[in-house]
Amino acid sequence: MRLRALLDTDALGLKLLGGEDELDRSVRGVMTTDLRDPSRYLSGGELVLTGLAWRRDADDSEPFVRLLVQSGVSALAAGEAELGSVPEDLVLACVRHRLPLFAVHESVAFATITEHVVRQVSGERAGDLAAVVDRHRRMMTSGPAGGGPDVVLDLLGSDLDLRAWVLSPTGRPVAGSKAAGPALPAEVCARLAAEHLAATRAGRRAPHRVQAAGSTYSVFPVRAGARAPQAVGVSREVRETVLSDWLLVVEADAGDWAEERLDLLYGVTQLIAVERDRRDAARTVRRRLAQEVLELVQTGAAPAEIAARLRVAAPVLLPGLGAAPHWQVVVARVEWEDGTTETGPVAQSLLEEILVDPHATGPEHSDRIAVAHTGDEAVALVPLPAVATEHDGSETGVLADALLESVREPLSAGLDGDGRVTLGVSAAVHSAEGLRGALEEARHARRVAAARPGRVCAAGHQELASHVLLLPFVPDDVRRAFTARLLDPLRDYDRRHRAELIPTLEAFLDSDGSWTRCANRLHLHVNTLRYRVGRIEQLTGRDLSRLEDKLDFFLALRMS
């Protein structure tokens, strides 16, 4: 199709800012990017869509446009939503390089333009393959009711006899065709994801061919303009995307496919990328909520103010809960060997993926995750419907070891020789007052994980043993979190029932665990004392006959 046809389509809301003499250029594809250097993903002839997030100042426009022209793109379309209007420096750079430039009205989604271009371009391709793509597109553009990527994969199976799946970067199944039959085994998914990450980081050209469990699979990155040219080394742009991109897997060897058949699969990845973009857009509200809570906690806001924000977050993350949940904090950091900073957004995308239940399929299971980021770390706010206690007294929720169990293999392969991922998990806290301590506890646990060997490591609050709290380098907030976690259940119970469990605990420890001396000191019958101690053990999950638990209580009382 021609650029002139895009300009003549009113529904796309495009305004020409420069390049009137170049409107007869043909468009062979479309790519959405906010990378400062997207050239590795361009093969020529694309309409490039950008929200201008790559632009920090006027000096960034010239090199960005120069890279696009060198890659042979047909035109650039810049959204007005971010800055209100297209900057003059970008207009001038496009004029100098004779690159047609369009402004996209803020009311028009990039997905709308993408779907239109893919539909038109595919319609110009010959034969049944174009018809198949058009059928896929109609199903995808019908919105959520159309079935999402599963419908596209079903049509790949029925029309082209291809078994196909969509996986997350850690190997979690996102979608699969009915023709594909049973779900791919977890070990095969992990292998495919690992090979994809390693191949992408090495700059190898897609599709990536992988042998697993006696079958041959071809892996296509799910991003617009997915054909990546050969590259040397690992660029910052690859690091910013490789840990968040989905991948399309087909059980076939695409190495000997005709160009038309490869074009079809790349067109399908663009359609699936629309669904990925919808998922990212849906996370915007949850990210903003997490960011607001994080800023309140880090700036020392009043607990009442933090509690108010948590009350807003709770129904968004756990709709229909009806009661304020308890919260855990998970901190993640991605560190590259060359010391690259500002890795928070990469860690944010990765943590959003890791926190999805690995046994769940589909993108919608991320709806209960709120992740913010700072310069070099990501912080997740994880709601728990209630404080559940196992029979052995341990709290349920996010566990550090289980968190990485299903993603360790692909991430280790994808990071080998270049980077590390470390995570820390706090205990559950019952109120806004405990959130700052939970954040520091998770950060301290992450530092414990960072001291271990391996590319992917995690540590939980259980590993911050009592004696460690006596070391001077442990932050005060971690000590307070330890104290609150152990004593808050008793304080809450005392407030509700006037049971005097805290005074009973203090007297019991001061009496060296002697039932008789403690009962006499408190003027209680021994059976009443035994009932109170039993209630303390039940609420805390500790055993006051154990020296370690007595020591924990002693330290908590002294530090409170």
Side-chain angles (χ1 to χ4, degrees):
M1 68 176 302
R2 304 291 179 181
L3 290 176
R4 193 179 305 279
L6 288 175
L7 191 62
D8 293 339
T9 304
D10 293 337
L12 299 183
L14 296 177
K15 180 173 65 176
L16 185 64
L17 300 181
E20 297 87 346
D21 298 332
E22 308 293 334
L23 291 180
D24 287 327
R25 291 186 183 185
S26 61
V27 178
R28 297 196 293 113
V30 61
M31 175 187 181
T32 301
T33 184
D34 277 314
L35 299 177
R36 289 184 294 280
D37 180 7
S39 58
R40 66 180 285 111
Y41 301 111
L42 296 168
S43 56
E46 294 93 349
L47 170 67
V48 173
L49 305 174
T50 180
L52 301 175
W54 50 266
R55 182 185 177 276
R56 295 177 180 174
D57 55 47
D59 292 336
D60 291 336
S61 293
E62 172 67 21
F64 180 77
V65 172
R66 186 168 59 250
L67 288 168
L68 297 186
V69 172
Q70 291 172 352
S71 300
V73 306
S74 295
L76 174 64
E80 295 180 328
E82 183 71 21
L83 301 178
S85 62
V86 178
E88 185 66 18
D89 48 88
L90 181 59
V91 176
L92 294 176
C94 288
V95 170
R96 282 194 296 272
H97 291 277
R98 300 180 62 83
L99 180 66
L101 174 64
F102 300 96
V104 182
H105 193 270
E106 62 180 2
S107 64
V108 179
F110 283 175
T112 300
I113 300 174
T114 298
E115 292 160 2
H116 178 83
V117 172
V118 173
R119 179 169 61 250
Q120 295 300 319
V121 171
S122 297
E124 295 170 359
R125 291 175 181 157
D128 294 337
L129 292 177
V132 172
V133 172
D134 191 58
R135 287 180 59 196
H136 293 178
R137 184 172 304 102
R138 288 199 303 271
M139 299 299 290
M140 284 294 291
T141 57
S142 62
D150 295 278
V151 174
V152 178
L153 301 186
D154 287 341
L155 289 173
L156 279 178
S158 62
D159 290 19
L160 296 180
D161 196 27
L162 285 175
R163 285 159 44 88
W165 302 264
V166 175
L167 304 180
S168 77
T170 61
R172 177 179 61 87
V174 174
S177 63
K178 294 176 182 176
L184 285 173
E187 59 273 15
V188 173
C189 290
R191 171 75 185 282
L192 291 168
E195 293 288 341
H196 162 72
L197 290 175
T200 302
R201 287 187 57 258
R204 295 203 295 272
R205 210 179 271 275
H208 308 130
R209 183 175 178 273
V210 181
Q211 290 280 352
S215 297
T216 300
Y217 299 91
S218 294
V219 182
F220 297 78
V222 176
R223 54 188 353 261
R227 295 190 194 224
Q230 195 72 22
V232 178
V234 182
S235 71
R236 176 168 180 164
E237 285 71 24
V238 172
R239 289 171 171 172
E240 291 173 349
T241 60
V242 70
L243 298 180
S244 60
D245 287 342
W246 286 355
L247 46 147
L248 171 65
V249 176
V250 295
E251 189 176 14
D253 188 346
D256 56 356
W257 280 5
E259 190 71 17
E260 292 82 1
R261 195 174 180 91
L262 284 173
D263 283 345
L264 169 64
L265 267 293
Y266 284 115
V268 170
T269 65
Q270 289 189 358
L271 296 177
I272 296 173
V274 172
E275 186 66 30
R276 185 200 65 186
D277 292 341
R278 287 172 179 162
R279 176 209 64 173
D280 290 342
R283 284 180 171 171
T284 301
V285 172
R286 296 188 293 278
R287 285 177 171 178
R288 185 169 63 248
L289 286 171
Q291 199 75 41
E292 291 174 355
V293 172
L294 178 61
E295 289 174 0
L296 288 173
V297 170
Q298 293 193 134
T299 56
E305 188 176 358
I306 299 174
R309 297 310 301 158
L310 291 178
R311 283 194 294 272
V312 173
V316 175
L317 300 176
L318 289 177
L321 182 66
H326 294 192
W327 304 90
Q328 276 183 287
V329 175
V330 181
V331 171
R333 180 176 292 183
V334 175
E335 298 172 296
W336 302 112
E337 293 291 343
D338 62 2
T340 300
T341 57
E342 300 295 326
T343 57
V346 179
Q348 180 183 46
S349 297
L350 184 59
L351 190 51
E352 286 173 334
E353 168 59 33
I354 290 174
L355 285 171
V356 176
D357 181 353
H359 303 294
T361 58
E364 70 281 358
H365 292 275
S366 63
D367 289 351
R368 295 183 177 183
I369 299 166
V371 186
H373 72 82
T374 60
D376 60 357
E377 71 176 8
V379 179
L381 195 63
V382 181
L384 304 177
V387 171
T389 303
E390 303 285 5
H391 295 303
D392 62 358
S394 61
E395 285 183 343
T396 61
V398 177
L399 301 177
D401 290 338
L403 198 60
L404 295 182
E405 181 178 354
S406 63
V407 301
R408 195 182 304 275
E409 178 186 346
L411 289 181
S412 295
L415 294 165
D416 187 31
D418 188 44
R420 296 190 73 205
V421 173
T422 52
L423 291 92
V425 182
S426 80
V429 294
H430 309 168
S431 62
E433 289 87 344
L435 208 55
R436 180 173 176 80
L439 175 60
E440 293 304 324
E441 186 175 59
R443 283 173 169 164
H444 187 60
R446 193 209 62 79
R447 288 193 290 269
V448 170
R452 296 172 175 167
R455 291 287 170 185
V456 183
C457 298
H461 64 92
Q462 303 93 335
E463 299 176 66
L464 305 182
S466 306
H467 64 274
V468 175
L469 301 174
L470 299 175
L471 299 178
F473 69 83
V474 179
D476 289 341
D477 283 321
V478 176
R479 304 186 194 199
R480 284 193 289 269
F482 169 78
T483 301
R485 184 169 70 250
L486 201 55
L487 299 184
D488 274 1
L490 305 182
R491 290 168 177 155
D492 292 343
Y493 192 86
D494 280 349
R495 278 195 295 268
R496 293 196 307 270
H497 302 284
R498 298 182 180 179
E500 298 187 349
L501 295 185
I502 292 289
T504 299
L505 176 61
E506 291 176 325
F508 187 75
L509 294 175
D510 288 344
S511 301
D512 297 326
S514 169
W515 295 101
T516 302
R517 290 205 307 273
C518 183
N520 290 337
R521 178 174 177 174
L522 295 173
H523 307 291
L524 296 175
H525 191 279
V526 172
N527 288 343
T528 302
L529 176 61
R530 290 186 184 276
Y531 171 80
R532 289 188 182 179
V533 171
R535 179 64 68 183
I536 291 171
E537 292 176 333
Q538 181 184 27
L539 291 171
T540 62
R542 299 302 186 103
D543 182 353
L544 278 166
S545 67
R546 287 167 43 89
L547 176 61
E548 295 89 340
D549 288 343
K550 287 179 182 177
L551 180 58
D552 282 355
F553 279 122
F554 175 82
L555 291 171
L557 289 168
R558 291 299 180 270
M559 290 189 295
S560 64

